[in-house]
Amino acid sequence: MDNDYKKYCDMLNEQFVEPFNEFYKNADEKMRKQIQPYVNNIYRRWNYSAFIENAYLTPASVNEMLNHEFNREPSLLPTVTLQEQPQFANFKFDYTSYSLQNHPIIADLLTVFELCQPIINLKNIEQVPNEVLSPMAQVVHINDSFYVLFLLNLLVELDLLIKLPSIHTENYQPKKDVSDFFDSPDIFEIIVDTTVKMAARSLNALFPIENITVFSEEYLYKSIKYVANTDDFFLTLFEFFGINPSDLPVLDAFPNNLDGVSEKFLFDLSIISGTYILGMMLDKFLFTPFGYYLRIIRPFYTRPFIFEEDVAEVLKNFELNNMSEKLGADGDGLEMAFYAPCSCFHLTDLGIEYFQVERDENNYLDIGGQSFNFSNIAPLFEFAMFSQVRTAKIPQRQMFEPEICVYSLKVQYSKDSQLWLNIDVSDTTDLHTLFAELSHYFDFNINAKYVFSLTEKESPFTGYFSPNQPQMPKSAAKHNLADLDVDDGQTIFLYIQQVLPSKKIIKYKWLLEVESIHSGKYNVAYPEVTKLCKALQEE
């Protein structure tokens, strides 16, 4: 692996190790033992959680940026192993190559299959004992018992492990000839299709109605391929049962005492509880397999992962027995506590290649291309500040500041130089938003026809027209200041059209002089008016 690439990857993962160890050294022995089997669950949640609340920047997206910067094809993606020490957690990070032609899940599936020889007793395929899973986890690329359980379920679903007749136990025998499967050029596609099938069955099993299908295989496949918003899964459920989600009560917490409540409230409460469980199951059977195992999607959690809150509180407050019963004893309850539905997800580079779809703003989040300049990669890793942010739990601050380009404009009326204001506008602000901001101060008609022009003479080739002029080639709503490619000292002309009662058309000319182009601040909401003329101040 490239030394520079590894250096930045190690720095990135250190942001997991440092707060984890801070939490780990303060935990008692019982809590440490509780947490050890769930390290990959915790790392997965951290990997897909925002550094800054609601900002599309996660460890997973930074890693993808690093792969692009260092031209890693196929992508190298991290996995973590906990090497237990008395007072601290010693982690080993491995970087595995992911491609459609050589996906690690194929080798892992074969490894687990061979370890099942000549026969394997799983007792219950839904609750395989850890003494079976743990040794297998040591020899696959994700050292995680839950990943191994997923592989075992895949083998059973693919009829590569055949259940033998037995009483009170589940013995499986590996299929003798599996060359057709493991030598197939379509093996990864088969694995994807089987994962969808397993997810559909598990999700539909939540509903106690015989032969019910809320989430079909086709629906789940299309939802992954075309990147359905996570909320769409819940809306599909509500629509299926004819429930209007706006009619459900808003609860800050579940009530402790249900005495005397109405039957409707109890029904609504069961729906809310059901969606909570559905969210965890979506993560377990859909988002985690397609995200962390297959790496086809990149989930996104809007809230930063805080170890003291997200780990310690789970261990202290999670009602293991009650939740296990609610979840149908599908795995242990504490494991389920680390699952939660992501806010949304996007396709990864591997997902784009697999589904053979074009990248667009809906299915692919190009963090590096949109927000950051990688010509100087070092500022990205101002981790000292970032560590302080995590310790202090101040999600509003960033571990580094993105490069925001700001245009400082002086806007004035062409026939009255005393009517003016100064405004800072980011290079990503569209021109219609700029017009709307100016309308607040200069009393423009927001529905007026207008054009931003680079020349004093209006032309469809140099103009950016209001959205209510669809016949014009360039819409102000779809272009920003960066598209104009203006320099310091250059003037942009804004022509606004007004129709008088007599139907006479008058055009007003405004001048937008570019006074400077400079770096902005990430915590400012642009556009921002910085100075007003006396007449506007008096208003």
Side-chain angles (χ1 to χ4, degrees):
M1 186 176 2
D2 182 279
N3 287 335
D4 286 338
Y5 173 78
K6 185 178 186 302
K7 176 180 70 174
Y8 289 118
C9 288
D10 289 344
M11 292 170 68
L12 177 62
N13 282 316
E14 187 61 30
Q15 306 317 303
F16 172 80
V17 173
E18 184 177 327
F20 187 100
N21 268 317
E22 184 67 24
F23 159 75
Y24 199 75
K25 73 179 182 181
N26 294 321
D28 57 32
E29 185 177 353
K30 178 182 177 182
M31 186 176 288
R32 288 176 189 162
K33 288 183 177 179
Q34 280 183 301
I35 203 174
Q36 289 167 15
Y38 306 103
V39 166
N40 264 280
N41 297 61
I42 297 167
Y43 179 78
R44 172 184 57 83
R45 283 291 304 276
W46 171 84
N47 191 47
Y48 295 128
S49 295
F51 282 125
I52 311 301
E53 189 164 2
N54 294 320
Y56 282 105
L57 193 67
T58 66
S61 64
V62 171
N63 182 269
E64 194 161 303
M65 291 159 65
L66 290 172
N67 273 279
H68 289 172
E69 177 65 15
F70 289 95
N71 299 314
R72 303 296 316 192
E73 290 185 7
S75 295
L76 287 176
L77 299 172
T79 56
V80 60
T81 302
L82 171 64
Q83 298 172 318
E84 173 63 10
Q85 299 291 332
Q87 297 298 323
F88 67 96
N90 183 28
F91 292 100
K92 176 187 177 186
F93 290 95
D94 294 307
Y95 295 88
T96 307
S97 174
Y98 281 77
S99 69
L100 297 182
Q101 297 74 29
N102 188 27
H103 198 288
I105 198 171
I106 300 171
D108 289 343
L109 204 60
L110 179 59
T111 297
V112 171
F113 174 81
E114 291 176 341
L115 289 174
C116 293
Q117 303 282 358
I119 193 171
I120 184 169
N121 185 326
L122 299 179
K123 294 186 179 178
N124 182 333
I125 189 60
E126 302 298 340
Q127 291 182 304
V128 182
N130 194 55
E131 55 265 26
V132 174
L133 299 175
S134 184
M136 293 182 175
Q138 305 294 322
V139 291
V140 293
H141 89 285
I142 300 179
N143 188 344
D144 178 37
S145 294
F146 305 111
Y147 174 60
V148 174
L149 183 59
F150 169 74
L151 295 175
L152 285 169
N153 275 281
L154 266 179
L155 290 170
V156 172
E157 190 68 41
L158 291 164
D159 290 327
L160 299 179
L161 287 182
I162 311 300
K163 187 177 180 181
L164 299 176
S166 57
I167 301 176
H168 305 307
T169 188
E170 294 189 14
N171 291 318
Y172 288 84
Q173 185 177 55
K175 187 178 179 181
K176 291 185 178 180
D177 186 5
V178 294
S179 59
D180 288 347
F181 174 77
F182 284 103
D183 293 340
S184 171
D186 301 323
I187 183 172
F188 187 68
E189 182 179 350
I190 296 171
I191 290 172
V192 169
D193 290 344
T194 306
T195 302
V196 171
K197 182 179 179 181
M198 290 163 55
R201 184 171 60 245
S202 296
L203 292 174
N204 289 313
L206 289 172
F207 311 106
I209 304 175
E210 189 174 356
N211 298 323
I212 190 171
T213 303
V214 178
F215 302 107
S216 67
E217 294 174 33
E218 181 182 15
Y219 171 84
L220 294 180
Y221 186 87
K222 287 184 177 180
S223 296
I224 294 294
K225 180 177 181 179
Y226 299 111
V227 190
N229 190 291
T230 303
D231 286 345
D232 292 343
F233 294 97
F234 297 100
L235 293 175
T236 296
L237 174 65
F238 291 143
E239 182 179 349
F240 187 92
F241 286 106
I243 298 168
N244 185 347
S246 62
D247 293 338
L248 296 174
V250 177
L251 299 177
D252 293 328
F254 274 62
N256 294 323
N257 191 347
L258 298 177
D259 294 340
V261 301
S262 66
E263 289 187 7
K264 183 181 184 307
F265 184 82
L266 288 174
F267 175 77
D268 291 341
L269 200 63
S270 68
I271 295 297
I272 296 171
S273 177
T275 56
Y276 173 71
I277 295 173
L278 174 61
M280 292 191 294
M281 301 298 267
L282 280 169
D283 192 13
K284 179 175 182 178
F285 294 110
L286 202 67
F287 303 139
T288 295
F290 280 97
Y292 196 54
Y293 299 163
L294 296 174
R295 309 286 179 144
I296 286 178
I297 64 171
R298 178 159 24 92
F300 171 66
Y301 294 88
T302 58
R303 194 178 69 84
F305 190 89
I306 307 298
F307 285 79
E308 309 92 279
E309 298 173 8
D310 295 280
V311 178
E313 289 305 309
V314 163
L315 297 175
K316 289 177 182 178
N317 301 327
F318 188 73
E319 297 178 3
L320 177 60
N321 294 330
N322 290 341
M323 187 56 71
S324 293
E325 184 178 341
K326 290 179 182 178
L327 294 172
D330 183 16
D332 74 82
L334 187 56
E335 173 223 350
M336 292 304 301
F338 290 106
Y339 289 109
C342 57
S343 304
C344 62
F345 60 90
H346 295 87
L347 294 179
T348 61
D349 291 329
L350 192 68
I352 291 288
E353 182 183 357
Y354 176 76
F355 289 119
Q356 297 182 355
V357 294
E358 293 293 328
R359 285 179 173 84
D360 61 41
E361 60 184 7
N362 296 315
N363 66 20
Y364 186 80
L365 190 65
D366 186 5
I367 294 290
Q370 292 178 4
S371 306
F372 299 94
N373 179 2
F374 258 71
S375 59
N376 182 5
I377 197 171
L380 178 64
F381 293 94
E382 297 291 342
F383 285 118
M385 182 194 351
F386 174 60
S387 297
Q388 294 172 6
V389 171
R390 301 296 285 178
T391 302
K393 296 188 289 187
I394 307 175
Q396 290 77 14
R397 294 180 59 193
Q398 295 221 32
M399 69 172 181
F400 60 90
E401 296 185 7
E403 292 188 1
I404 298 175
C405 179
V406 168
Y407 294 76
S408 291
L409 307 177
K410 183 173 183 179
V411 183
Q412 64 182 26
Y413 183 40
S414 64
K415 293 185 178 181
D416 184 359
S417 60
Q418 300 303 309
L419 189 58
W420 59 270
L421 61 74
N422 285 8
I423 186 170
D424 284 351
V425 186
S426 73
D427 61 346
T428 59
T429 302
D430 67 78
L431 296 172
H432 186 61
T433 299
L434 172 58
F435 179 82
E437 184 72 13
L438 296 177
S439 70
H440 292 308
Y441 295 91
F442 294 122
D443 200 26
F444 298 157
N445 181 354
I446 191 65
N447 296 315
K449 292 183 178 181
Y450 65 85
V451 57
F452 288 93
S453 177
L454 295 175
T455 60
E456 281 201 71
K457 186 176 181 180
E458 292 182 53
S459 165
F461 301 106
T462 59
Y464 298 82
F465 295 81
S466 53
N468 56 7
Q469 302 180 76
Q471 73 278 11
M472 294 302 180
K474 296 178 181 177
S475 171
K478 296 182 179 179
H479 292 84
N480 50 47
L481 283 174
D483 295 328
L484 274 62
D485 194 26
V486 291
D487 297 320
D488 286 0
Q490 191 169 345
T491 298
I492 304 167
F493 302 92
L494 171 60
Y495 296 94
I496 305 172
Q497 179 176 300
Q498 181 178 356
V499 181
L500 300 178
S502 64
K503 296 187 178 180
K504 182 180 178 180
I505 297 176
I506 298 178
K507 286 191 176 181
Y508 299 94
K509 182 169 71 172
W510 292 76
L511 309 177
L512 286 70
E513 180 185 353
V514 182
E515 293 193 325
S516 66
I517 303 174
H518 55 88
S519 297
K521 298 179 179 179
Y522 74 89
N523 57 351
V524 172
Y526 296 104
E528 178 190 43
V529 173
T530 58
K531 193 179 293 185
L532 293 170
C533 66
K534 187 175 181 180
L536 293 178
Q537 290 178 24
E538 291 174 352
E539 291 182 6

